[in-house]
Amino acid sequence: MRRMRIAVAQLDQVVGDLTGNARRILDAVDAGRRDGAALVVTPELSLCGYPPEDLVLRPAFIDACARELAAIAGAVRETTLLVGFPEWRDGTRANALAVIRDGRVDAVYHKRCLPNYTVFDEDRYFEPGAAPCVVDVAGTRVGVIICEDVWFPQPARETRDAGAQMIVVVNGSPYHTRQQALRLAQLRARATETGLPFLYVNRVGGQDELVFDGASFALAADGNVAQQLPAWHEAIAIAEFERGAWKAVRGGIDDTLEANVYAALTMGVRDYIDKNRFPGVLIGLSGGIDSALTLAIAVDALGRDRVRALMLPSRYNAPISLADAREMAGIVGVRYDEVPIEGPFEAFLGALSGEFAGLPVDATEENIQARIRGTLLMALSNKRGAIVLTTGNKSEMAVGYATLYGDMAGGFAVLKDVAKTLVFRLARWRNSLGRVIPERIITRPPSAELRADQTDQDSLPPYEVLDAILEAYVERDTRPADIVARGFAAADVAKVVRLIKISEYKRRQSAVGIRITPRGFGKDWRYPITSAWEEWRTLQGDKAPGSTLV
């Protein structure tokens, strides 16, 4: 085996931008050629972007991909290029990888293991491949597989048996808080089983609710990482392979939870806003921690000139909430305005005075305030073109502690998959890099401020308890009785499980938001709204705990 240089193209493609994606792929080829690369590797479905979802069901889309692939092939000389694309052949679609050289497509590999769990539903779109693919590049027999194929022994083993001396894995692997460690464990298992080195190439960037962290790496046959590309950044890096081994390159990634989640959130915001061509964002700033963290993320993602904050105070907002909101807006340097809602609130109460006569004040009046705010924010969004970022967190979305058409109104939910306890951790972590969130916002008891002396814990268990129950039940599918066996009060578990169930109709109407956990309330949460299954009754019989804001 002669020495071989490989250009690892960790790219951020735009779904459906075939011409733009092709141009960036060819730019990577040019960069690799200048550095002497014999092989250039791009991520899974790099031509069309990932995941293309139902676009691949459109014949015109598949045809356009084929034309663009042919144009790429015609431009490639003096190197070998791996490009992912959706292929239509003999009446079936495949998640395919083209081996391009000498101006033509020399070979095509079809993904063999199609994931159909969490956010993936590739069985809907593709038929699995059945054969390995090994090609000679600069005297080295290179095997190629795609993403999910490396999570099972057979594809890698059969690729080795077909003569591969190293295996390249192209990926569209979205981030969640445990995914980086899981990837490395799977690659080490395949290296141990095959005795071969691997090159893992992942895409980077945001696509709707998904974020991709890149973090591509070269793995030696003994399971040690020989080269690590950065997470959360595009990169074209050279990996060198000689005499069956990778040249070791010093480097690593920050694997701390807060650093990765914050990077995921900023990338998710930046790519959603930029790829959908919004001029900027609008945030309802309350003086609370959720909106403060959302503002910090937005400014870090987009710059202060593309972010506007609006405070919409009512009679129940504490003076310190206004003071803290003003202070933070000043620290990050965004445009900040205050529009009191007392007048519209009084108008609503006056219009409904006849209907409400003799009835006690309850959550109805609280929700009117939230919906006034939502209406005003959306009006400014319509008038200015900026998209409203909602500020609700995963803990609230889980149990329905949010108001439809009120604080849930908006176009993109930054913290939708971030538990409240993690919101506090992220706020403190961001301040450790440079103070942007006033300390009092972090230390004050959380409150919706929709009635006098209100705190979140009037309606919910303490967030440490709530979030632990949510992680067990939502992310790990733990039975309620088993959660109680871990030491949680049966009443708390029953209440939380019931609230999750009855709030499904709200979540179905919520804005798309960034997924950062193994299970968010998006593509990987598909429960019926209409359902007679009531799991909490296994703990409390027919006794139903109270509900929260509607």
Side-chain angles (χ1 to χ4, degrees):
M1 290 181 287
R2 298 194 301 271
R3 179 184 178 193
M4 176 173 57
R5 292 168 68 87
I6 302 175
V8 180
Q10 182 172 286
L11 302 177
D12 182 355
Q13 290 101 349
V14 180
V15 167
D17 183 11
L18 306 184
T19 301
N21 292 341
R23 182 172 58 252
R24 302 190 74 183
I25 289 168
L26 290 175
D27 287 345
V29 172
D30 289 341
R33 186 186 298 116
R34 288 192 298 270
D35 285 331
L39 177 64
V40 179
V41 184
T42 66
E44 180 178 9
L45 292 179
S46 55
L47 177 57
C48 64
Y50 186 85
E53 301 185 284
D54 280 12
L55 287 175
V56 300
L57 303 180
R58 309 294 303 182
F61 184 75
I62 296 292
D63 292 345
C65 288
R67 290 193 300 270
E68 205 65 60
L69 184 72
I72 290 175
V76 175
R77 298 287 192 280
E78 304 173 10
T79 190
T80 299
L81 169 67
L82 302 184
V83 175
F85 73 107
E87 182 178 52
W88 175 263
R89 184 197 298 178
D90 301 328
T92 62
R93 283 180 301 273
N95 183 333
L97 183 67
V99 182
I100 296 173
R101 53 187 165 192
D102 300 326
R104 64 188 178 88
V105 176
D106 188 55
V108 174
Y109 173 78
H110 288 175
K111 188 175 183 178
R112 300 178 64 180
C113 301
L114 301 178
N116 211 57
Y117 55 87
T118 63
V119 299
F120 306 105
D121 48 10
E122 291 196 21
D123 278 343
R124 174 180 173 87
Y125 305 114
F126 304 119
E127 293 295 326
C133 179
V134 180
V135 295
D136 186 279
V137 181
T140 297
R141 299 284 290 168
V142 178
V144 296
I145 58 178
I146 301 175
C147 204
E148 188 77 4
D149 293 342
V150 84
W151 290 72
F152 298 90
Q154 185 175 356
R157 184 175 62 246
E158 292 185 0
T159 301
R160 178 203 59 191
D161 294 346
Q165 296 165 308
M166 57 93 72
I167 296 177
V168 173
V169 191
V170 302
N171 299 269
S173 177
Y175 171 80
H176 65 67
T177 52
R178 296 194 281 271
Q179 188 69 356
Q180 291 175 347
L182 290 173
R183 290 180 200 140
L184 184 56
Q186 288 298 324
L187 267 290
R188 282 176 167 157
R190 301 294 87 79
T192 298
E193 294 158 4
T194 61
L196 295 180
F198 281 76
L199 180 64
Y200 184 96
V201 180
N202 193 26
R203 68 157 298 189
V204 68
Q207 171 59 31
D208 294 344
E209 71 186 65
L210 302 181
V211 281
F212 299 84
D213 56 317
S216 306
F217 59 92
L219 191 75
D222 62 6
N224 289 318
V225 175
Q227 184 172 350
Q228 176 69 65
L229 268 67
W232 310 112
H233 296 282
E234 285 192 287
I236 300 176
I238 295 295
E240 293 190 9
F241 188 76
E242 186 175 13
R243 295 188 180 92
W246 298 109
K247 178 182 177 181
V249 177
R250 294 180 65 181
I253 56 174
D254 186 345
D255 61 358
T256 60
L257 174 68
E258 292 86 353
N260 278 282
V261 170
Y262 198 88
L265 297 174
T266 53
M267 176 168 282
V269 169
R270 183 185 305 114
D271 272 12
Y272 192 84
I273 301 309
D274 288 348
K275 291 178 180 179
N276 288 292
R277 296 186 290 277
F278 288 105
V281 300
L282 183 65
I283 298 169
L285 195 62
S286 68
I289 192 167
D290 296 315
S291 64
L293 180 61
T294 302
L295 177 59
I297 291 166
V299 172
D300 287 341
L302 304 171
R304 64 184 184 184
D305 292 340
R306 298 179 67 191
V307 180
R308 181 180 177 187
L310 199 70
M311 177 63 163
L312 302 159
S314 77
R315 65 184 70 172
Y316 298 116
N317 285 111
I320 58 173
S321 295
L322 276 76
D324 290 344
R326 292 167 187 157
E327 181 183 0
M328 181 169 180
I331 293 171
V332 298
V334 299
R335 176 179 172 180
Y336 170 82
D337 298 280
E338 294 179 3
V339 180
I341 67 167
E342 188 63 26
F345 186 39
E346 286 289 352
F348 270 95
L349 294 179
L352 293 166
S353 59
E355 294 288 340
F356 288 2
L359 299 176
V361 173
D362 57 16
T364 306
E365 287 78 6
E366 298 181 35
N367 292 337
I368 288 173
Q369 296 168 69
R371 289 175 179 138
I372 290 169
R373 292 183 172 121
T375 298
L376 294 175
L377 288 168
M378 291 307 297
L380 282 174
S381 174
N382 292 158
K383 188 66 70 175
R384 303 291 187 182
I387 187 174
V388 174
L389 299 182
T390 67
T391 61
N393 59 66
K394 187 175 189 176
S395 306
E396 296 168 350
M397 292 300 102
V399 297
Y401 195 71
T403 304
L404 273 174
Y405 327 120
D407 56 308
M408 290 177 66
F412 196 59
V414 180
L415 305 180
K416 186 174 183 177
D417 199 30
V418 181
K420 187 75 170 190
T421 49
L422 183 53
V423 168
F424 282 100
R425 291 175 62 180
L426 291 172
R428 292 196 180 280
W429 179 85
R430 178 59 183 85
N431 272 2
S432 73
L433 305 181
R435 178 179 173 272
V436 293
I437 301 175
E439 181 66 17
R440 188 166 57 187
I441 290 179
I442 300 174
T443 57
R444 286 179 63 199
S447 171
E449 292 194 318
L450 296 172
R451 66 173 183 266
D453 301 319
Q454 183 181 31
T455 67
D456 292 359
Q457 264 59 72
D458 296 339
S459 304
L460 302 173
Y463 279 116
E464 293 78 8
V465 173
L466 173 61
D467 288 350
I469 295 172
L470 291 176
E471 181 184 10
Y473 186 77
V474 173
E475 297 179 20
R476 300 183 184 274
D477 292 321
T478 308
R479 293 180 178 87
D482 292 336
I483 300 175
V484 173
R486 297 179 183 180
F488 294 95
D492 285 341
V493 175
K495 179 176 184 177
V496 170
V497 171
R498 175 179 180 269
L499 291 175
I500 291 170
K501 191 263 184 183
I502 66 173
S503 300
E504 185 61 36
Y505 79 102
K506 285 189 182 182
R507 289 190 295 271
R508 197 71 66 88
Q509 299 177 69
S510 64
V512 64
I514 304 165
R515 172 185 182 261
I516 58 98
T517 70
R519 179 176 288 165
F521 291 124
K523 290 165 64 69
D524 47 346
W525 181 267
R526 307 182 192 184
Y527 282 82
I529 296 173
T530 305
S531 169
W533 175 247
E534 297 177 330
E535 197 169 5
W536 72 86
R537 295 194 191 281
T538 60
L539 299 178
Q540 286 203 335
D542 292 332
K543 186 178 180 181
S547 64
T548 60
L549 303 182
V550 179

